[in-house]
Structure formats: C-alpha cells, structure tokens
Amino acid sequence: MIVSQRSWSSRAVPYIMLAPFLVLFFGFFIYPLLYAFRLSLFTGRTGRGTFVGFANYITAFKDGSFWSSILTVARFGVMQLLIMLILALALALLLDSPIIKARATFRLLYFLPYAVPGVIAALMWGFLYSPQLNPLLAVLGIFRHGKPPDILSQSNLLFSIVNIVTWEWTGYNMTLYFAGLTSLPLELYDAAKMDGCNEFQTAIRIKLPLIRPVIIFTWILSIIGTFQLFNEPFILSSLTAVPSDFTPNVYIYNMAFAYNNFHYSATLSFFLAFVTLCASLLFLYLTSGEQQRAGRRNRSYDARGVAK
C-alpha cells in the first residue's frame, strides 16, 4: 500500500509542477481564443448578436480594405525584412571576425535599441521625424527652398516605419546569428585557413551554410511579426494621418473600438492568423525545398566521385 501511494505521488509530481502553467495557459490563451471564435460566429454591433455561422468569414474574404492592409504589410515586409536581416547577418559576421576587438561593447551598442519598448521607440522616432523638434531636418530644408522634408507624409510613412522597426530589431537578430556562429566548431575555421580561405570566403562557404536553420528561423519570426505590425502606425497616428486600414491589426483595432463591431473584428483576427500561417508555411516550404534540392545535387556529385 505504501509503495502504491509513493508511485502515485511520483506520477502526480509532473502534473502538479505543470498546473500553474496550464491554468495560465487556458485562462489567458485558450479561453480568450475560444471566446473570440464564438464572437466571430455572430453579427451585430451591440448585445449578444445574431448567429450567422461562417458568414463573417465570407465577408472578410471579400473585404477590400482588409486585403489592402495585407498588401501594405507585404510591401513593408519585402523592404524591411531584407534590410534588417541582411544588416543583422553582416553585423554578426563582423562581430565573429577578428576585426572587432571590443566585442562586448559592440554587441551591447547594437542590442540596446531592442531593449527600448516599441511604444517608446515609435514616440522617439515620431518626434525625430518632426521638423520643429529635429534641427537636422531644418538644415536639410535649406536645400529644398526652406521647406523641411515631410518624413511622415502619406508617401513616406511606410518608409518611416521601416526605419523604426529596422532600428528596433536588427540588434536582436544579430544576437541570434552571433549565437549560432559561436556554436560552430573552431576546427572548421582552422581547416579553412589551412586550405587558404580568407575571412570572406570562410563566412560565405562555411559560416552561412551552417547557420542556415537559424536564418530560416529568424525569417519565419520576422514574417509573423510583419503581419502583426501595430505599435508603430498606431503611435504615429497621433502625429500624422494614418489610414484606418493601413495594416491588418490597425484595421481590426478600428473595427472593434471605433466602429464597435467586435464580432467582425474577431473574424478578421482569425482570418489574419490564417493568412500569417499560410505565409510562414509557404516560406518554410520554399526554403526546405531548396535545401532538399541542394542535398540531391550533393548526393549526385558523390555518386560520380566528384570532390565537394
């Protein structure tokens, strides 16, 4: 009897340890998710609404404003991800090279922007974009017949947000790449030096292929973050005119709190999650397909006896 009680208590220990997490997970993730899905099946601006099934999802699929916001973040992602991740990769390779001496200081300087909360960063850059608060813009106005550049205009707004997000997240991705580089065995570098490779050749032919999983991981995280863009345009809306459908999350927010249509906003949230999942899986499929083709090429080279 004592043995059975001990065995039962030993089996219960993992569940007891997991209980706090499970309570918080179900209370703050699963339940809100189910509640939002229930809201998406109804229509009406007040009260409990009328059950319409999946009619809201059909409406969301035909919503031109929603797809316009998707195209906006797609344009944003093409520009911002390429700039940010290439810059982060270049800084990580530079940090991993013998060129940089004070590595701790170098890493801290580029990681500090990530420590700044997104709302504070958007406010700070919003003030820097103002000609009344940034003397540099006033100086540039001398070359434009006394008219400072309007960085927050409708034509420049997307590029302004690209700059803010790149400033915020480049150091974070640089840290991930540098962690991947430091985990590589040093014997590979010694062998590359014996074969006559310089630092650039070592980075291109050895370092980059070996940290490919880390690069793909950061791309997927960045794609998800791109579709969730909200803080920067929402904060800048207090300084300039931002369209209500500028990004999907801004459109969802306005639909819920400006138009009091919580049912349709819940529908758009689930639809956005589906679009984000499809974009991430598509990128993962394309990158994994390329890796499989490279593996088949390597196997064919081996079969013919060609040295790699």
Side-chain angles (χ1 to χ4, degrees), residues 90-241:
L91 290 173
L93 291 173
L94 185 62
L95 185 60
D96 192 55
S97 68
I99 300 175
I100 302 299
K101 302 302 179 182
R103 294 188 178 184
T105 304
F106 183 90
R107 184 168 49 188
L108 178 63
L109 289 176
Y110 281 96
F111 187 77
L112 274 178
Y114 174 71
V116 179
V119 175
I120 303 300
L123 282 172
M124 180 185 69
W125 278 101
F127 289 130
L128 289 175
Y129 289 152
S130 174
Q132 291 78 19
L133 300 174
N134 190 347
L136 180 60
L137 296 181
V139 174
L140 293 177
I142 299 175
F143 304 97
R144 303 177 76 252
H145 305 288
K147 185 179 180 180
D150 188 3
I151 302 180
L152 291 178
S153 64
Q154 292 295 314
S155 58
N156 295 328
L157 181 59
L158 191 64
F159 302 101
S160 302
I161 298 176
V162 166
N163 177 66
I164 297 174
V165 178
T166 302
W167 180 83
E168 287 181 284
W169 291 93
T170 298
Y172 171 79
N173 289 283
M174 179 200 71
T175 304
L176 293 180
Y177 292 149
F178 182 68
L181 290 171
T182 54
S183 65
L184 300 179
L186 298 178
E187 292 80 4
L188 295 175
Y189 303 156
D190 297 334
K193 289 181 181 179
M194 293 179 63
D195 290 338
C197 293
N198 55 33
E199 289 294 331
F200 180 77
Q201 293 172 330
T202 302
I204 298 299
R205 298 180 180 180
I206 296 179
K207 294 181 180 180
L208 290 184
L210 290 178
I211 64 169
R212 178 189 174 91
V214 181
I215 297 175
I216 294 176
F217 174 72
T218 56
W219 271 94
I220 293 176
L221 288 183
S222 300
I223 290 173
I224 295 173
T226 296
F227 282 97
Q228 294 178 348
L229 182 66
F230 177 75
N231 284 339
E232 290 77 13
F234 181 75
I235 296 300
L236 293 179
S237 63
S238 61
L239 302 173
T240 185

Side-chain angles (χ1 to χ4, degrees), residues 26 28 61 79 128 139 152 227 232 246 266 286 306:
F26 279 95
F28 291 94
F61 183 76
M79 292 185 293
L128 289 175
V139 174
L152 291 178
F227 282 97
E232 290 77 13
F246 187 72
L286 294 176
V306 178

